[in-house]
Amino acid sequence: MSKNCAKNTTACVDSDMTPYINAVRAYTAARAVAPRCFVLTFGCQQNVADSERLAGMAASMGYVITDTPEQADLILVNTCAIREHAEQKALSVVGQYKHLREKNPDLIIGLCGCMVAQEHRRAELKKSYPYVSFTLCTSVLYRLPQYLAEVLEKGKRKIVGEEEHTVAEGCPVRRESNYRAWVSIMYGCNNFCSYCIVPYVRGRERSRAPDDIIAEVKGLVESGYKEITLLGQNVNSYGKDRADGYRFPHLLADLDKIEGDFILRFMTSHPKDATRELIDVMAAGRHIPHSFHLPLQAGSDRILSLMNRHYTREKYLEMISYMREKMPDISITTDIIVAFPSETEAEFEETLDVLRHVRFDMIYSFIYSPRKGTPAAAMEGQIPHDVGAARMNRLLALQNEIADAQNEKLVGQCLRVLSEGESKTDPSTYTGRTDQNKIVFFTDPAREGEWVTVKIERAAAFALYGTKVNKA
Ligand code: SAH
Ligand code: SF4
Ligand code: F3S
């Protein structure tokens, strides 16, 4: 057990997999050419962070990380189960790997992440995807070397749903970026929102020890990382499994004390755990941009209650008012689900009302997707897809108008932007994000990870456009 975990009720395990790493290393070293590993990621930032650990472990076992599945000897698909579409996409990609396996019989394909924690999906994989060698659930991700060693040694498939209620420290990480880093501070979710699969596939909340997180963030800042995002399914319930009362606002305040040139973001917060104390820490922070993602999901109290969200529209609006009072320049974004079972036209209108009232800078919106085993999937009043699609269109039309107007207010301002380098779609343009997490396109060159100041000349609903200016 890690010495830092003494005050956690969650067990911290040592992720040391040395014997298995050595076993796989013996295999990779015996190959004439170093074998390659391709990691494909679906889903949220948690999965992106998990994939960086998968790649880190693969590299530690002698694999060279590749961008092309055709070249790979090991393919790891990190899956998501949040909506039906996410699962179908993953299954369809895995289906396409069948011919790669036919060409290269030594190819090992492993499926990781949220989808494979579901028994019915594993049964499907067992039966219809015989070329998938193993499944690895998120709580035991650090056991990749063990799974791989077993598959290589025994030549047998390992389609299992093994899970642990632990926090594994010390796993190697291969970060995609050298200026932007993801730091998981907790795992799992206790909320059981009635539509959501996450608590079933990621288990109960487990917080990492503060010292481990602080050391990781310090290390990142020292190695030049400029943007650090703290991750958790319900990031602001961090610490509830600790005996010493150390909670998310304390952690955020402690991380904010770190000296250096960096910003600290966090996601995703749950409105029921968004406290005034947290807002106060943000407002007083040195490294914490004024940007908050606070999923609303729905504007009707009846629907919120059916969703098991534990707040009302009024409570949500109160928190928004407090944020704006403390940080008038704050940008606020949210998640919305339309067509939750039994949502009436009038209740959907209540969601539109909240949008008009709050004026979010951006929303992520989803048509409700029934998830097997969740209470909402068994509720009466499931709404036909065309009704959901029509509601979604109305929601987006309204939000576009709002976002347009919100962004228009920024025209003429000089904003600090963390450059992401050349735009992927147009190499003559550079791109980056403002402190408030808005995408900016600008014409003059800037390296990835460089802070620049951009004068905003034009705004659209999803992006700002401007020119780089020298700092005053
Ligand atoms: N833990 C975060 C994010 C969870 S997943 C939170 O609590 O907000 C991201 C978003 O996906 C959710 O906020 C929700 O809007 C959406 N979502 C989750 N389950 C869904 C489902 N079954 N159908 C449609 N959207 C869903
Ligand atoms: Fe899902 Fe709710 Fe947990 Fe978010 S808080 S992951 S929506 S159960
Ligand atoms: Fe998907 Fe799992 Fe994230 S279900 S959204 S990858 S927590």
Side-chain angles (χ1 to χ4, degrees):
M1 179 166 147
S2 154
K3 63 178 173 19
N4 291 331
C5 284
K7 295 193 176 92
N8 270 23
T9 51
T10 301
C12 287
V13 292
D14 194 340
S15 67
D16 184 15
M17 291 272 121
T18 307
Y20 298 113
I21 292 175
N22 289 341
V24 181
R25 269 189 162 279
Y27 162 83
T28 55
R31 304 273 299 244
V33 182
R36 290 165 194 267
C37 169
F38 172 70
V39 182
L40 179 65
T41 312
F42 292 94
C44 63
Q45 293 311 327
Q46 286 281 0
N47 259 20
V48 172
D50 284 349
S51 286
E52 292 186 338
R53 291 202 290 154
L54 289 170
M57 287 186 279
S60 77
M61 290 183 283
Y63 285 90
V64 173
I65 307 300
T66 174
D67 289 341
T68 38
E70 290 76 16
Q71 290 188 340
D73 303 277
L74 171 64
I75 296 182
L76 300 172
V77 183
N78 202 5
T79 61
C80 169
I82 201 79
R83 284 168 288 275
E84 184 63 22
H85 182 62
E87 297 198 291
Q88 291 311 329
K89 258 195 336 207
L91 289 170
S92 137
V93 169
V94 174
Q96 291 162 26
Y97 292 156
K98 185 178 175 192
H99 75 276
L100 295 181
R101 171 67 175 258
E102 281 161 4
K103 272 195 230 152
N104 174 8
D106 290 338
L107 170 64
I108 296 177
I109 301 172
L111 261 61
C112 317
C114 295
M115 185 179 84
V116 303
Q118 302 170 101
E119 203 177 339
H120 68 282
R121 289 299 182 201
R122 290 197 303 277
E124 197 178 340
L125 291 168
K126 251 187 199 156
K127 190 162 154 255
S128 310
Y129 298 78
Y131 47 92
V132 170
S133 293
F134 65 89
T135 54
L136 186 63
C137 292
T138 61
S139 63
V140 291
L141 216 66
Y142 73 101
R143 293 188 178 273
L144 173 69
Q146 180 192 345
Y147 277 52
L148 206 50
E150 284 177 18
V151 167
L152 284 168
E153 268 164 32
K154 297 182 190 150
K156 278 204 303 204
R157 304 174 76 196
K158 189 173 164 108
I159 308 294
V160 293
E162 185 189 9
E163 301 199 42
E164 278 179 12
H165 186 79
T166 53
V167 165
E169 291 293 344
C171 205
V173 187
R174 184 180 180 274
R175 296 189 191 273
E176 287 289 317
S177 161
N178 57 11
Y179 65 94
R180 196 199 272 153
W182 313 108
V183 174
S184 294
I185 63 164
M186 59 183 298
Y187 306 97
C189 180
N190 288 355
N191 289 324
F192 289 95
C193 300
S194 62
Y195 49 81
C196 186
I197 196 72
V198 172
Y200 304 88
V201 293
R202 281 194 176 257
R204 295 296 70 70
E205 289 176 4
R206 284 104 61 204
S207 300
R208 290 178 65 196
D211 290 354
D212 289 330
I213 300 168
I214 293 167
E216 183 172 348
V217 173
K218 266 192 185 144
L220 288 165
V221 172
E222 278 160 18
S223 25
Y225 279 85
K226 297 285 184 286
E227 179 188 86
I228 293 161
T229 305
L230 310 176
L231 297 179
Q233 281 308 327
N234 186 4
V235 77
N236 52 345
S237 76
Y238 170 83
K240 285 192 176 171
D241 54 344
R242 292 180 61 80
D244 61 356
Y246 189 92
R247 298 284 182 265
F248 187 58
H250 306 122
L251 178 67
L252 202 58
D254 280 345
L255 292 172
D256 190 60
K257 287 181 196 141
I258 297 174
E259 292 302 331
D261 177 24
F262 69 102
I263 54 173
L264 201 53
R265 301 189 188 279
F266 55 90
M267 65 181 185
T268 297
S269 305
H270 193 300
K272 79 175 165 54
D273 299 309
T275 57
R276 289 185 172 222
E277 189 187 3
L278 168 59
I279 308 301
D280 293 344
V281 170
M282 268 184 95
R286 305 180 301 160
H287 298 293
I288 311 164
H290 293 174
S291 148
F292 210 109
H293 183 63
L294 194 62
L296 165 71
Q297 311 300 0
S300 140
D301 285 345
R302 189 185 75 90
I303 296 294
L304 285 173
S305 159
L306 278 180
M307 285 178 162
N308 197 30
R309 290 288 287 178
H310 296 285
Y311 55 86
T312 59
R313 163 199 180 110
E314 194 188 335
K315 280 272 313 184
Y316 184 92
L317 293 177
E318 252 175 48
M319 194 44 68
I320 300 283
S321 301
Y322 190 68
M323 278 184 206
R324 291 229 162 104
E325 182 192 320
K326 291 283 161 175
M327 295 171 278
D329 62 339
I330 195 164
S331 92
I332 303 172
T333 56
T334 201
D335 291 351
I336 302 283
I337 297 178
V338 299
F340 183 81
S342 81
E343 181 189 67
T344 63
E345 184 56 29
E347 285 163 341
F348 169 64
E349 285 283 347
E350 290 187 65
T351 300
L352 298 182
D353 273 350
V354 177
L355 257 62
R356 288 188 194 101
H357 182 86
V358 175
R359 302 186 69 74
F360 293 106
D361 290 86
M362 187 156 80
I363 66 169
Y364 298 87
S365 46
F366 311 98
I367 301 177
Y368 167 72
S369 167
R371 306 285 61 216
K372 197 177 160 82
T374 61
M379 282 179 190
E380 305 225 320
Q382 302 284 325
I383 293 182
H385 185 80
D386 56 334
V387 176
R391 285 184 189 168
M392 174 71 116
N393 286 340
R394 285 166 60 199
L395 184 83
L396 291 177
L398 171 63
Q399 178 55 29
N400 274 353
E401 266 175 45
I402 294 171
D404 237 352
Q406 290 290 93
N407 284 350
E408 197 59 42
K409 287 196 234 160
L410 299 171
V411 172
Q413 292 194 18
C414 287
L415 301 177
R416 184 169 81 144
V417 170
L418 182 59
S419 166
E420 294 171 14
E422 279 176 14
S423 151
K424 289 194 181 70
T425 44
D426 173 6
S428 69
T429 305
Y430 292 78
T431 180
R433 278 175 187 265
T434 66
D435 279 1
Q436 285 154 330
N437 221 359
K438 292 189 184 254
I439 298 170
V440 180
F441 292 97
F442 51 97
T443 41
D444 321 75
R447 273 178 293 108
E448 279 183 53
E450 184 185 339
W451 296 112
V452 292
T453 303
V454 175
K455 179 159 191 204
I456 305 303
E457 285 150 356
R458 191 161 65 81
F462 298 104
L464 304 169
Y465 301 84
T467 312
K468 198 175 99 176
V469 291
N470 289 331
K471 275 187 189 160

